[in-house]
Amino acid sequence: MNTHEPGEREATELCPECKDPAAGTKGRGPRAGLRRGQWQEQVAHGDIPVPRHSPSGRPATAPRGAGLGRGVRVGWREAGSGSLGNGRSQFPPIDVSARAGRAGRARVLHKDRAGSVCPARAGRCACDAMARLTGARPVAARRWGCAAAFLLLLLTVQAAQKADLSGDTTAATINHSLTLLQRLQELLQNGNGSDSVLRVRSAASDEAKVFHTHQLLLSLQSEVFESLLRNQSVVTLHEPPETAALFDKFIRYLYCGGVSILLHQAIPLHQLASKYRVWGLQRGVAEYMRSHLASESSQGHVVGWYHYAVRVGDAALQESCLQFLAWNLSAVLGSAEWGSVSVELLLLLLERSDLVLHSELELYTAVEGWLSRRQPEAPVAERVLRAIRYPMIAPSQLFRLQAQSAVLARHRGAVQDLLFQAFQFHAASPLHFAKYFDVNCSMFLPRNYLAPSWGSQWVITNPARDDRSTSFQTQLGPSSHDAGKRVTWNVLFSPRWLPVSLRPVYSDSVSGAIQPVRIEDGRPRLVITPAMSSPDFAGVTFQKTVLVGVRQQGRVLVKHAYSFHQSSDEAPDFLAHADLQKRTSEYLIDNSLHLHIIIKPVYHALIKVKK
């Protein structure tokens, strides 16, 4: 049912004069065929409605030298207003009066056959109504206000089209978005219709890169560009060489919404996105960096990304880099990027107990090389050396370090007490040692050592097939006093273990019937239990760590580390989100699950002796 009055239509399309500004000069406006004096006389008698105020708030006056066919737009154009450049305003009349059942609905008014507009229905067109809804004002400082209004109008039309197509089985969507992206890319390459120029200068080159751009597209993507191009059409930008080299990629993203990226380009692109406040690109590059930590590069990149994340305050990227370095430290120690590790990062790594490496001696050797290359001040070197856990190094190796290490000889006074304490720890019973020294500190807590005496690697072929079990032995503790004591461990792996709530039970309603159980309802389970009990376990508890290795970029790296204490025999969330049923699962290497199980003895005092 049509509720519109005669001479009206809903503002779901632009008025003819907005589509074609020359339409008002074809003798159909109220000024057609009138001399200036006659037209002003009709305005004075109220035959032609004139807005009381212009959009800028000033009294509306007829522009000097107004030509024929401009009708009721008189007084809307002024210096700096949003005009079409030919004396006609880009905001024709529209009526935004409220009506019962369609309050606030904008209406474009038809002219009658005589070419006049009813004063009672005079208003503005859909362009200005949408501009008011979006908050855009018709001034030169925000030229794209009408464009934003048109976009909102387009969304309204698309929503109406979807509503019309709902329930129709023959409905289909015609998508030419790829063609549109191609045309936008051609627009950038050819510079057609360019209204702004960016000149990018770098200290590494005497020539500036010139980009013929479009203010509307740049302003929609970046508020910085909107501000720079507000009062000028040619802008000179000064960029460092690394960001200037990627400025064409950056501009292409602003036009097409996509960009190809390599490892060494991540930081410069992130810098450009942050500087010009292109938040979508900034988030995309940060996500790229978090997901490509395992990618292999000649010089390494994780350490550099960590330092950059600290500089820009990206806590999520900082933590991702730090965790990757901790779980794959052995691979980092032998790479070129180890020498670029800062003092702050080195100290953060040395404080962690989840470092994955072969032994504490391997860590000391890498730290010694770092100190020899960097030559830090004495307080820094001594702080680094005191972070080494010397009790985790065998006495024979400690003697060799004291005799052969130039770094240890140079700073012997700073770590002499730690070395003496380590020899005492290896000489006495741990239970007796704990009576006199605090063993609940990090110095006596093992890291995730990959040496055979601390655990075992387990490769499970076709893990989704059935349950598996294995056993291995570890030493009772790191102390040489317990060097001959071994603990046997049994491990059970089940790919489809079901919680109690999902296990099949007999039904009372149907005799012998059981509830159906789907394979996907189960989840992987890993249970680690000691095969023996001994009085030697007094004063010792065991922390279990399970490392899950994956192949990324041709390398086997640690993806997850699950840790649980002696009070529990299994990790509650072990591979909770892994799909081992698929051969393409990221957790499988050649259809095998690679695990490394580490047993870490933790000492605690039973009796305290007063000193």
Side-chain angles (χ1 to χ4, degrees):
M1 179 178 178
N2 186 8
T3 58
H4 298 283
E5 297 182 11
E8 296 183 351
R9 67 175 182 272
E10 280 193 335
T12 57
E13 62 177 0
L14 300 181
C15 63
E17 292 179 329
C18 286
K19 293 181 178 178
D20 184 9
T25 64
K26 298 179 181 179
R28 307 183 68 85
R31 292 182 58 185
L34 298 180
R35 294 190 303 274
R36 182 177 181 183
Q38 293 175 335
W39 177 79
Q40 290 179 343
E41 183 177 357
Q42 290 189 22
V43 171
H45 288 81
D47 295 334
I48 298 179
V50 179
R52 184 172 300 176
H53 290 84
S54 68
S56 61
R58 302 175 183 174
T61 59
R64 182 174 300 177
L68 298 178
R70 292 167 192 170
V72 294
R73 290 194 301 275
V74 60
W76 282 39
R77 184 181 179 228
E78 57 182 337
S81 66
S83 66
L84 298 172
N86 56 1
R88 303 180 183 86
S89 170
Q90 55 180 331
F91 302 100
I94 193 171
D95 181 10
V96 293
S97 60
R99 189 177 297 273
R102 42 197 179 94
R105 178 181 298 169
R107 303 189 303 278
V108 176
L109 306 184
H110 283 301
K111 299 177 183 179
D112 58 17
R113 296 182 179 178
S116 62
V117 180
C118 177
R121 300 175 187 170
R124 302 180 181 92
C125 81
C127 303
D128 192 36
M130 294 300 103
R132 287 176 174 270
L133 291 176
T134 57
R137 305 302 302 166
V139 294
R142 304 184 66 87
R143 299 178 183 175
W144 52 277
C146 190
F150 180 74
L151 290 177
L152 181 59
L153 182 62
L154 181 61
L155 293 177
T156 305
V157 174
Q158 290 178 345
Q161 290 176 346
K162 290 182 179 180
D164 293 339
L165 294 177
S166 60
D168 191 346
T169 58
T170 62
T173 301
I174 300 176
N175 186 359
H176 293 160
S177 56
L178 295 179
T179 304
L180 177 60
L181 289 177
Q182 182 179 359
R183 291 180 178 176
L184 287 175
Q185 188 170 2
E186 293 174 354
L187 195 67
L188 174 63
Q189 293 175 350
N190 301 329
N192 297 335
S194 171
D195 59 356
S196 56
V197 177
L198 299 181
R199 299 174 56 86
V200 181
R201 304 193 65 89
S202 172
S205 176
D206 296 333
E207 297 183 0
K209 288 186 176 181
V210 179
F211 300 89
H212 295 276
T213 58
H214 304 78
Q215 181 179 349
L216 172 62
L217 291 175
L218 296 184
S219 299
L220 288 175
Q221 293 274 31
S222 168
E223 58 187 67
V224 175
F225 280 128
E226 179 186 359
S227 177
L228 290 175
L229 297 172
R230 182 169 299 168
N231 297 318
Q232 54 186 341
S233 58
V234 179
V235 177
T236 301
L237 305 174
H238 297 274
E239 295 290 339
E242 58 273 13
T243 57
L246 296 178
F247 209 87
D248 55 341
K249 282 180 174 284
F250 176 62
I251 294 295
R252 190 179 301 116
Y253 172 85
L254 299 183
Y255 275 75
C256 304
V259 62
S260 59
I261 183 174
L262 299 175
L263 292 177
H264 68 278
Q265 298 173 339
I267 291 180
L269 273 179
H270 194 277
Q271 289 174 330
L272 286 173
S274 303
K275 178 178 179 179
Y276 296 100
R277 300 181 184 178
V278 184
W279 308 125
L281 180 59
Q282 184 191 59
R283 291 190 297 268
V285 175
E287 179 59 32
Y288 167 85
M289 297 168 78
R290 287 193 293 269
S291 61
H292 285 74
L293 294 173
S295 299
E296 189 173 4
S297 58
S298 58
Q299 298 298 323
H301 56 279
V302 181
V303 173
W305 286 0
Y306 171 82
H307 293 151
Y308 176 74
V310 172
R311 231 169 27 244
V312 300
D314 190 334
L317 178 58
Q318 179 180 342
E319 181 58 31
S320 297
C321 293
L322 192 59
Q323 179 177 277
F324 178 86
L325 293 173
W327 287 355
N328 300 277
L329 189 59
S330 287
V332 178
L333 296 180
S335 66
E337 62 180 333
W338 175 248
S340 63
V341 171
S342 63
V343 175
E344 294 76 15
L345 176 56
L346 179 60
L347 291 174
L348 283 176
L349 290 173
L350 294 177
E351 292 173 357
R352 297 176 69 113
S353 298
D354 62 341
L355 298 184
V356 177
L357 66 167
H358 186 267
S359 63
E360 192 74 16
L361 181 61
E362 179 190 21
L363 180 61
Y364 175 83
T365 303
V367 168
E368 183 182 29
W370 185 91
L371 291 173
S372 300
R373 287 190 299 267
R374 300 292 292 268
Q375 294 292 327
E377 297 180 356
V380 175
E382 294 172 0
R383 185 180 175 187
V384 169
L385 289 174
R386 291 189 65 85
I388 299 294
R389 301 182 181 182
Y390 297 100
M392 301 297 110
I393 303 177
S396 59
Q397 296 170 341
L398 287 176
F399 279 119
R400 183 175 60 82
L401 291 179
Q402 290 186 97
Q404 300 178 0
S405 174
V407 173
L408 199 59
R410 187 161 53 250
H411 302 282
R412 183 185 301 272
V415 295
Q416 188 66 40
D417 59 325
L418 298 180
L419 294 174
F420 181 69
Q421 190 179 55
F423 283 116
Q424 289 179 308
F425 172 76
H426 286 290
S429 164
L431 189 60
H432 183 73
F433 182 84
K435 295 179 181 180
Y436 300 94
F437 298 95
D438 181 17
V439 294
N440 293 322
C441 61
S442 61
M443 187 63 62
F444 300 97
L445 180 63
R447 308 185 200 266
N448 291 330
Y449 301 126
L450 301 177
S453 58
W454 297 93
S456 175
Q457 186 179 10
W458 190 16
V459 179
I460 305 175
T461 305
N462 194 9
R465 187 180 62 193
D466 50 23
D467 296 353
R468 316 291 174 85
S469 63
T470 188
S471 61
F472 62 93
Q473 287 187 335
T474 61
Q475 64 185 38
L476 178 62
S479 172
S480 294
H481 185 275
D482 296 332
K485 300 176 182 178
R486 294 287 185 269
V487 180
T488 302
W489 299 91
N490 293 330
V491 185
L492 172 66
F493 170 78
S494 175
R496 294 177 297 273
W497 174 80
L498 293 173
V500 176
S501 59
L502 295 178
R503 292 175 184 174
V505 295
Y506 287 96
S507 174
D508 296 335
S509 58
V510 181
S511 177
I514 60 175
Q515 298 176 351
V517 178
R518 300 174 302 174
I519 293 179
E520 55 268 24
D521 290 334
R523 64 172 179 81
R525 181 188 187 191
L526 190 73
V527 181
I528 306 174
T529 55
M532 53 183 290
S533 60
S534 170
D536 295 331
F537 288 5
V540 181
T541 57
F542 300 95
Q543 179 179 325
K544 303 137 188 177
T545 300
V546 181
L547 306 178
V548 181
V550 298
R551 178 178 292 166
Q552 295 183 354
Q553 305 294 326
R555 298 190 298 171
V556 177
L557 302 170
V558 177
K559 183 176 181 63
H560 284 293
Y562 301 91
S563 297
F564 47 102
H565 208 261
Q566 186 181 20
S567 58
S568 175
D569 293 333
E570 61 178 310
D573 57 344
F574 177 71
L575 293 179
H577 303 289
D579 189 0
L580 302 180
Q581 308 295 329
K582 296 182 180 179
R583 288 181 175 268
T584 57
S585 173
E586 61 176 335
Y587 294 89
L588 300 181
I589 302 176
D590 298 331
N591 199 31
S592 298
L593 182 63
H594 286 241
L595 305 178
H596 198 109
I597 304 172
I598 300 173
I599 306 298
K600 302 165 65 172
V602 180
Y603 293 105
H604 56 87
L606 298 179
I607 302 175
K608 289 286 186 181
V609 175
K610 296 182 180 180
K611 298 181 181 180

